[in-house]
Amino acid sequence: MSGAEGGGPAVDAVVWDFGGVFMASPFEAMRQLAEDRGIPHELAIEVLFGSYDADTDHPWHRAERGELDVVSARDQIREIGRGHGHDLDLFELMRYLGGGAVNEAMVELVRRVRAAGVRTAVLTNNIVEAKDMWRGLVPVDELFDVIVDSSEVGMRKPNPAIYHHTLAELGGVEPERAAFLDDYPGNVAAASAIGMIGILVELDATPAIAAVDALLT
Ligand SMILES: [Mg+2]
């Protein structure tokens, strides 16, 4: 697509996570919930989301792989919480996520990437029940060549298989020719481990956006 010798983009594709990148971070919502309830943040994460650096059979992970509906996941997570002496409700966390404020600067970045002739994808760990919500926040069909939703493909980050699947869907892009943006460090590490250019999106997304722009010229 582009040669290093002639300048041009250093990548053939850019892949974005969705939650915490285009919209509010569930981890930030969890931090707030844990603080309000006086529960250690790490414990709240462990109960509600499991060991997020791994792909396990925690009910949230199963829901993200499309193996469990959200009500069953909520019930099972409550059981786990009770085992730790806390009543933690997944639906309460969802209320903390609030409305769907979109990071428009990130949307504009996608448009610049496309204008540079670079392919675009979303790779999201998500649940079936959230599909209409997140897809409705940005014009996904206009912005992305490929959309990979964990609940549809039965795989989730940080399983390397879902990154390879995304690169294949993009037309067989080499990992070294693809950037990956995510707000969760473990997901970025997994992308880097297979050779992708991993970019962590922090609460202030400005440095991550600048890092992608730097790859375009
Ligand atoms: Mg995220």
Side-chain angles (χ1 to χ4, degrees), residues 7-216:
V11 288
D12 297 323
V14 178
V15 180
W16 282 265
D17 170 37
F18 199 87
V21 172
F22 289 95
M23 57 171 282
S25 161
F27 291 96
E28 187 57 22
M30 189 138 33
R31 195 191 56 72
Q32 197 63 53
L33 180 150
E35 193 177 304
D36 289 353
R37 298 278 301 281
I39 300 169
H41 184 205
E42 294 305 319
L43 177 60
I45 290 181
E46 182 65 30
V47 169
L48 286 160
F49 278 3
S51 300
Y52 214 74
D53 278 326
D55 186 24
T56 76
D57 280 331
H58 182 280
W60 181 252
H61 299 187
R62 295 194 62 210
E64 285 189 337
R65 291 196 301 266
E67 299 165 6
L68 201 63
D69 67 87
V70 70
V71 173
S72 300
R74 175 203 199 189
D75 290 346
Q76 293 182 20
I77 286 168
R78 266 200 145 136
E79 278 302 313
I80 295 170
R82 286 192 194 105
H84 291 277
H86 296 290
D87 184 25
L88 280 164
D89 183 356
L90 185 62
F91 289 2
E92 187 182 353
L93 175 68
M94 288 175 175
R95 285 193 291 276
Y96 271 79
L97 272 171
V102 170
N103 184 349
E104 293 295 342
M106 195 62 78
V107 173
E108 285 309 312
L109 175 67
V110 182
R111 294 200 167 105
R112 287 196 297 282
V113 168
R114 286 185 73 97
V118 172
R119 293 174 68 78
T120 57
V122 159
L123 169 50
T124 177
N125 281 358
N126 233 308
I127 60 172
V128 174
E129 293 84 351
K131 184 181 292 183
D132 291 344
M133 182 279 290
W134 73 264
R135 283 179 180 245
L137 290 176
V138 302
V140 288
D141 294 329
E142 173 208 322
L143 296 175
F144 303 109
D145 296 303
V146 167
I147 296 172
V148 177
D149 179 332
S150 62
S151 67
E152 288 180 355
V153 297
M155 302 179 273
R156 64 187 286 283
K157 297 172 286 186
N159 181 350
I162 198 169
Y163 299 85
H164 288 297
H165 172 81
T166 305
L167 294 169
E169 290 284 302
L170 281 162
V173 173
E174 293 298 324
E176 294 76 12
R177 295 284 305 173
F180 173 75
L181 293 88
D182 199 298
D183 64 313
Y184 191 73
N187 292 340
V188 175
S192 300
I194 68 154
M196 297 176 80
I197 301 164
I199 298 172
L200 181 67
V201 180
E202 299 180 88
L203 225 44
D204 174 6
T206 313
I209 290 171
V212 175
D213 276 320
L215 293 170
L216 296 181

